[in-house]
Amino acid sequence: MRNKIMFFISVVFILNSCQNDDQKRIAENQKEAKKRELIFKNIEKAWVFYDTPVTEAAETSLSSWNEWRLFLAELAQKPKKTISAFQQKSTAITKKAIALNENIPYTFSKPAIKSRIAVLTTKIQMLDLYIHLDNIPDKKITQLVAEINLELVSLERQMDKVIEKSKIPTEEGESELRNMMDASRAIPNVIIDENTPRVE
């Protein structure tokens, strides 16, 4: 009889503790859902990219540089409804940013442009990394979106500078001077070893 009472008390105790665990789990799930909703709202509010060209050169390059046009079109489409939509969009933007390096028009194939594209691509990859974390740092994502916008403006202004420099006419003899200053055409500075046999 005593064993039955002890068994009954232990069953009641176990059932009671399971109910408490379920209530804690439900409360934690509700708290997590509210947190994810707040993160989603913060990201949605901050997700505004400069998808229209700021400078004249960037606007004219849309017709000749297909990757640039596709990249800006991808930035223009804002995801909606869920965090996973933002994650998918971030991955798509990353792919388009990496593609920018593949077919840079000859006019813009300069180290200043390439370095700005590299920095922009790095920032976008960081955004993609942070948005795919389990605990999404919404403040860091907001900061990265602002930094990406600054890099976009910097790239477009550099494109404008390149176009302006190309409009400057070259002076007489300038091309010959550039050829003379070209390091690839210079005579190599070779140290002659006196111990090596020579044919005279």
Side-chain angles (χ1 to χ4, degrees), residues 170-182 185:
T170 57
E171 292 183 17
E172 193 175 313
E174 188 176 348
S175 59
E176 289 87 14
L177 181 64
R178 284 189 184 167
N179 283 338
M180 287 173 36
M181 295 175 69
D182 188 7
R185 297 188 56 200

Side-chain angles (χ1 to χ4, degrees), residues 66-196:
N66 191 37
E67 286 78 13
W68 177 248
R69 185 177 64 247
L70 293 173
F71 174 69
L72 291 179
E74 196 69 48
L75 285 179
Q77 299 168 356
K78 185 174 181 178
K80 295 175 182 164
K81 296 184 182 178
T82 62
I83 293 265
S84 63
F86 281 99
Q87 290 171 336
Q88 291 171 354
K89 177 55 74 177
S90 175
T91 304
I93 290 172
T94 303
K95 288 178 184 174
K96 300 292 183 192
I98 291 170
L100 283 176
N101 273 325
E102 293 173 4
N103 291 328
I104 301 174
Y106 178 75
T107 338
F108 298 128
S109 187
K110 308 272 188 251
I113 299 283
K114 289 180 180 180
S115 65
R116 281 171 176 75
I117 290 173
V119 171
L120 177 67
T121 304
T122 302
K123 300 267 183 192
I124 290 172
Q125 287 173 331
M126 285 174 57
L127 174 74
D128 190 36
L129 173 79
Y130 282 123
I131 205 162
H132 280 90
L133 293 175
D134 289 336
N135 294 325
I136 299 172
D138 54 334
K139 291 178 183 172
K140 187 67 177 171
I141 289 173
T142 304
Q143 178 186 352
L144 277 171
V145 168
E147 289 175 10
I148 289 168
N149 283 331
L150 289 175
E151 294 304 327
L152 278 169
V153 170
S154 173
L155 173 62
E156 291 179 8
R157 286 193 178 142
Q158 188 62 40
M159 291 164 82
D160 216 21
K161 284 181 184 177
V162 167
I163 294 293
E164 289 301 315
K165 281 185 180 179
S166 69
K167 290 179 182 176
I168 299 172
T170 57
E171 292 183 17
E172 193 175 313
E174 188 176 348
S175 59
E176 289 87 14
L177 181 64
R178 284 189 184 167
N179 283 338
M180 287 173 36
M181 295 175 69
D182 188 7
S184 65
R185 297 188 56 200
I187 298 173
N189 191 6
V190 179
I191 300 172
I192 300 173
D193 187 14
E194 293 181 19
N195 295 330
T196 58

Side-chain angles (χ1 to χ4, degrees), residues 47-62:
W47 197 275
V48 178
F49 291 106
Y50 297 156
D51 55 347
T52 53
V54 177
T55 63
E56 192 177 312
E59 194 170 329
T60 56
S61 67
L62 286 175

